[in-house]
Amino acid sequence: MSQHNQRTGRSFAVIGAGINGAAVAREITRRHPDAAVTIFEKADRVAAHQSGHNSGVVHAGLYYEPGSLKARLCRRGVTLLRDYAEANDLPFDECGKIVVALQQDEEERLRAIFERAVANGVPDVELIGPEQIREIEPNSVGRLALYSPHTAITDYAAIARSFVEDVRNSGGTVRLNSEVVDIKVRPHGCTITSTDNSDRRGGTSEREESFDFVIACAGLQSDRVAKLAGGASHPTIVPFFGQYSQLAPEHRTILNGLVYPVPDPAYPFLGVHLTKRVDGEMLVGPNAFLSFGRENYAGWKFGVKDSLRVAATPAFWKFAAGNVKAAVHEFAAVLSRKKFLSGAAEYVPSLRGAVSKPITRGIRAQAMDADGGLIDDFVIEQQGRATLIRNAPSPGATSSMAIAEHILDVVTDAHGLDSSSQTTAQKDD
């Protein structure tokens, strides 16, 4: 069994090298510079999952309940992320966004979003009419729009890699190809068992190590990792894929920023929108449908174990029974890219007949409660010295640095930590 005596401070294990795990590990090194920090990641690279399969939008905080944790962390996260990107020469483009009402019945919902945005402190938001829509986005149409000039785009995978490099530069350890297969919570720490999956011939070796604290940021595997530590059975993760299409090169400059629909309460997800990427490509998407595999990014692999687990989850069937209309709507877009693009052409008419190609899909780690309800806020569970991030929904990537601050506050409050180099074990003794 390996102990962490090479440094004088506490020892922390962080499970997951997505943007949230990387941000948490970085925040630990900032608050506890003498701590030994180890990141475990079962993939062979940083940001291999949700953090590396998204549109790169930095959300401004338009939609969230004023005063909620999501709203507060989003607004704080935007500021931290922008400053970090600028300081480290990482892409961050405040291209702006309009949320467009096409029908009269959408206008009331849009005004409610505007009121939330103002209450959340989103800077410079305004409601604009058709003429102003044309001034901001000459190729877009609509009756009324909410304009958020500071909504931005970035490269979350690049930011996650930079966070990890900060951890390494602070003396931290990053274990790629290292899957956590067991967590034992002890009175004064945790023991982690991990496997080394780097042997491409299929061989694995186990390693057992003790840490003062464990923080799990496991995304698509968050419920499984939580159960290793004795966590609750819910929320459980049901994966939904989102497929984006990349427009042909002649459409790269069709928009100056982002164009979104007004969210429809009849559907659990946001709906198809147009998103500019930091590399200049223009995307349309995503649709949203059940993924047959938590990491089935290609779309053609059938994850038998994952699919059987979803099928055996009563909560999923409760959710499905209440969302038949939405499922039919989304499945039509999955089957036909033409239908998929026609939705975007309602907002940008010149896209009718546009050529596009599908790109690697993203998979959303949708947390679901025992009654089949979709959980829309952050869920953090404490199991002794293990802190388990059970749900970090959108705007999780936008909020990553603020989430890291919040998680360290939670751990500090729960265990009475300070930033001294004295180990927790020494305090307990």
Side-chain angles (χ1 to χ4, degrees):
M1 182 185 297
S2 174
Q3 299 289 334
H4 295 267
N5 298 322
Q6 72 273 26
R7 298 178 74 115
T8 58
R10 305 174 180 92
S11 58
F12 290 81
V14 177
I15 303 172
I19 194 165
N20 282 305
V24 165
R26 177 180 177 272
E27 185 66 16
I28 295 169
T29 66
R30 286 164 57 82
R31 296 200 192 189
H32 304 283
D34 292 332
V37 180
T38 303
I39 301 176
F40 291 85
E41 170 56 56
K42 72 183 182 66
D44 61 359
R45 65 192 186 279
V46 172
H49 300 291
Q50 286 177 290
S51 302
H53 296 84
N54 58 69
S55 61
V57 175
V58 181
H59 295 281
L62 305 179
Y63 307 104
Y64 318 121
E65 185 67 31
S68 67
L69 189 60
K70 281 182 85 167
R72 288 186 285 113
L73 293 183
C74 181
R75 288 303 311 148
R76 169 74 174 156
V78 168
T79 300
L80 293 172
L81 197 70
R82 181 194 63 219
D83 292 350
Y84 183 85
E86 290 176 354
N88 290 275
D89 198 26
L90 294 165
F92 193 95
D93 177 9
E94 287 190 351
C95 59
K97 165 180 169 177
I98 58 173
V99 182
V100 179
L102 295 177
Q103 308 297 330
Q104 185 174 1
D105 62 357
E106 295 177 321
E107 292 185 17
E108 185 177 349
R109 298 202 302 271
L110 187 63
R111 293 183 192 279
I113 293 171
F114 173 72
E115 290 175 3
R116 283 190 171 194
V118 171
N120 287 335
V122 180
D124 302 325
V125 288
E126 58 180 318
L127 289 172
I128 59 176
E131 290 185 7
Q132 289 171 291
I133 291 173
R134 289 282 193 182
E135 288 174 9
I136 294 165
E137 293 290 359
N139 292 307
S140 187
V141 298
R143 297 171 58 96
L144 184 71
L146 185 159
Y147 178 43
S148 173
H150 300 293
T151 293
I153 52 176
T154 189
D155 181 343
Y156 285 118
I159 288 176
R161 290 192 294 268
S162 183
F163 287 166
V164 168
E165 194 60 29
D166 290 345
V167 173
R168 286 194 175 107
N169 290 338
S170 298
T173 301
V174 182
R175 300 251 183 87
L176 302 178
N177 294 300
S178 189
E179 182 176 2
V180 173
V181 295
D182 192 31
I183 304 170
K184 289 184 173 64
V185 179
R186 313 291 192 188
H188 303 302
C190 300
T191 301
I192 281 183
T193 303
S194 62
T195 58
D196 180 356
N197 302 325
S198 58
D199 187 346
R200 299 304 176 195
R201 294 169 297 182
T204 60
S205 60
E206 286 195 351
R207 179 174 186 167
E208 191 176 84
E209 299 164 271
S210 292
F211 297 88
D212 290 320
F213 299 96
V214 171
I215 303 174
C217 306
L220 284 158
Q221 307 296 338
S222 60
D223 54 344
R224 295 173 180 171
V225 170
K227 287 177 184 177
L228 296 178
S233 58
H234 286 89
T236 188
I237 296 298
V238 175
F240 285 84
F241 73 78
Q243 183 73 62
Y244 281 90
S245 284
Q246 180 177 310
L247 293 172
E250 58 265 30
H251 300 298
R252 292 184 77 184
T253 58
I254 199 167
L255 294 174
N256 296 313
L258 318 177
V259 174
Y260 275 54
V262 178
D264 187 339
Y267 300 103
F269 302 115
L270 185 59
V272 171
H273 46 269
L274 292 113
T275 305
K276 185 169 74 170
R277 210 164 57 183
V278 289
D279 63 0
E281 298 294 348
M282 185 64 66
L283 307 182
V284 177
N287 50 27
F289 202 75
L290 179 67
S291 176
F292 297 105
R294 295 196 187 196
E295 298 171 13
N296 183 16
Y297 299 109
W300 54 268
K301 292 183 179 180
F302 186 85
V304 176
K305 184 168 69 172
D306 288 345
S307 300
L308 289 175
R309 286 184 177 178
V310 170
T313 303
F316 169 73
W317 295 108
K318 293 178 184 178
F319 165 79
N323 288 275
V324 173
K325 179 182 176 182
V328 171
H329 177 271
E330 293 294 333
F331 192 55
V334 171
L335 292 177
S336 170
R337 195 151 21 106
K338 183 178 179 181
K339 183 175 180 61
F340 185 57
L341 289 171
S342 68
E346 292 182 31
Y347 298 87
V348 182
S350 53
L351 283 179
R352 291 192 176 94
V355 175
S356 70
K357 64 178 181 181
I359 60 174
T360 304
R361 59 177 54 175
I363 299 178
R364 173 176 179 159
Q366 179 60 61
M368 192 172 287
D369 64 25
D371 296 321
L374 304 186
I375 298 176
D376 193 42
D377 211 343
F378 298 103
V379 178
I380 302 168
E381 182 180 359
Q382 293 277 3
Q383 287 288 324
R385 294 283 187 91
T387 301
L388 313 169
I389 317 306
R390 301 294 301 261
N391 193 39
S394 179
T398 299
S399 309
S400 55
M401 297 180 77
I403 290 171
E405 290 181 337
H406 179 70
I407 295 303
L408 266 293
D409 288 345
V410 168
V411 174
T412 296
D413 292 344
H415 302 290
L417 300 187
D418 55 34
S419 297
S420 73
S421 61
Q422 185 182 20
T423 66
T424 321
Q426 288 170 335
K427 283 187 172 184
D428 292 335
D429 292 338

